[in-house]
Amino acid sequence: MNICIFGSASNRIDPSYIEAVESLGEKLAKQGHALIYGAGSGGLMGASARGFYRGKGKITGIAPEFFTETKVDGELFEQCDEMIYTDTMRIRKQKMEHAADIFVVVPGGLGTFDEVFEILTLRQLRQLNKEIYFYNINGYYDEMFAFLETSKSKGFISQNFEDLFTVFNDEKSLLDAISSKNKS
């Protein structure tokens, strides 16, 4: 399956996040999955690519053309099997959305939030029928989930928003879910 991983491009994060995502990427590759991602070499984007590379998995990077000029997200990962350039960030997200069979969200910042909230919205509107898995490393997303519950309790979010995604706090459970999805 094509696994789209959304995550941080920052290198200023605790190394435990990087180690966890590199491990996940390597194990997914060894299970025969391919990576679809934002093409960066830094942060958790780079960690996922390095893991897939170590596991000998196929890596497809998708980046807007301006990343090559401005290096907004740092360097691009040079060992991608395929690099797709787009005109805009919106087209980048659309290409990742179409290429993915499953989305895995690892810790990230504004870019990651933008990506994941778009696919959550599309899933809520029934325009996307693909699994969305949060890998909640070190409880990173706990406060976001609490905020979503607050929004739900005040009537701003539908009562069944939790059905849009699944949260995993450990690698084994996440790998098992992806493996079982692959068999169905």
Side-chain angles (χ1 to χ4, degrees):
M1 281 194 302
N2 290 329
I3 310 291
C4 181
I5 296 182
F6 295 139
S8 173
S10 174
N11 286 319
R12 297 179 308 271
I13 59 177
D14 188 291
S16 66
Y17 294 105
I18 292 170
E19 292 164 12
V21 174
E22 280 185 12
S23 173
L24 176 68
E26 183 173 4
K27 289 174 182 164
L28 287 170
K30 287 180 177 177
Q31 289 180 350
H33 301 293
L35 174 64
I36 307 293
Y37 86 120
S41 65
L44 301 185
M45 278 202 290
S48 65
R50 288 189 302 277
F52 266 86
Y53 186 75
R54 255 198 324 271
K56 302 192 182 341
K58 182 180 180 208
I59 303 167
T60 301
I62 304 175
E65 189 69 45
F66 71 84
F67 275 15
T68 63
E69 299 159 9
T70 62
K71 299 193 184 334
V72 169
D73 273 349
E75 301 293 323
L76 298 176
F77 189 70
E78 293 180 6
Q79 287 81 26
C80 288
D81 296 292
E82 180 180 11
M83 183 67 78
I84 299 169
Y85 291 100
T86 63
D87 290 334
T88 67
M89 291 291 282
R90 286 186 180 155
I91 295 171
R92 174 198 198 199
K93 288 187 295 184
Q94 185 178 46
K95 287 196 175 293
M96 288 192 290
E97 171 197 323
H98 290 299
D101 296 311
I102 289 178
F103 297 92
V104 174
V105 184
V106 299
L110 291 177
T112 303
F113 302 152
D114 175 54
E115 292 162 340
V116 72
F117 279 108
E118 181 165 329
I119 61 169
L120 287 170
T121 301
L122 290 171
R123 185 142 190 215
Q124 183 177 38
L125 295 172
R126 296 187 180 103
Q127 299 301 300
L128 177 74
N129 189 25
K130 299 176 183 182
E131 295 296 322
I132 302 167
Y133 296 151
F134 280 86
Y135 185 15
N136 192 27
I137 303 166
N138 299 334
Y140 180 81
Y141 283 109
D142 289 350
E143 291 177 30
M144 184 184 84
F145 298 139
F147 173 72
L148 292 173
E149 281 294 333
T150 298
S151 294
K152 173 182 160 180
S153 72
K154 295 180 186 243
F156 289 98
I157 294 180
S158 71
Q159 292 301 308
N160 64 348
F161 83 90
E162 304 93 338
D163 297 340
L164 300 174
F165 58 88
T166 308
V167 179
F168 298 92
N169 294 310
D170 65 276
E171 180 184 74
K172 182 182 181 327
S173 298
L174 175 57
L175 289 168
D176 289 348
I178 292 171
S179 182
S180 71
K181 183 72 177 164
N182 193 33
K183 293 175 186 172
S184 59

